[in-house]
Amino acid sequence: MSKARPINVGDRFTRLVVIQKAEKASGNKHARWLCQCDCGNRKVVFGFTLNIGDTKSCGCLGSQV
């Protein structure tokens, strides 16, 4: 299994751009990131969901269907 690529401020993942590292959730070891969506909303997401492509937007993509 290959190691996940590091996430940096300014990285783009589909509609999300990483703004800054967020605090870890209590009891969770995964890094979280504050991201700005192309629609203007902000969302805190887990880094691994960005790397695997599971999180693509703040949720606005799902509401456009």
Side-chain angles (χ1 to χ4, degrees):
M1 186 172 188
S2 65
K3 195 172 187 181
R5 79 176 184 105
I7 297 174
N8 298 301
V9 172
D11 286 353
R12 174 173 283 278
F13 296 88
T14 311
R15 294 180 58 117
L16 295 172
V17 177
V18 177
I19 297 173
Q20 68 184 33
K21 195 165 191 170
E23 288 187 28
K24 291 183 180 179
S26 74
N28 197 309
K29 65 178 180 173
H30 297 289
R32 299 185 332 148
W33 297 88
L34 176 63
C35 297
Q36 176 86 35
C37 186
D38 288 348
C39 74
N41 290 330
R42 290 185 175 191
K43 181 173 182 165
V44 175
V45 298
F46 288 110
F48 72 91
T49 64
L50 292 171
N51 271 327
I52 64 173
D54 195 37
T55 304
K56 297 180 169 83
S57 72
C58 67
C60 64
L61 281 178
S63 64
Q64 293 176 358
V65 177

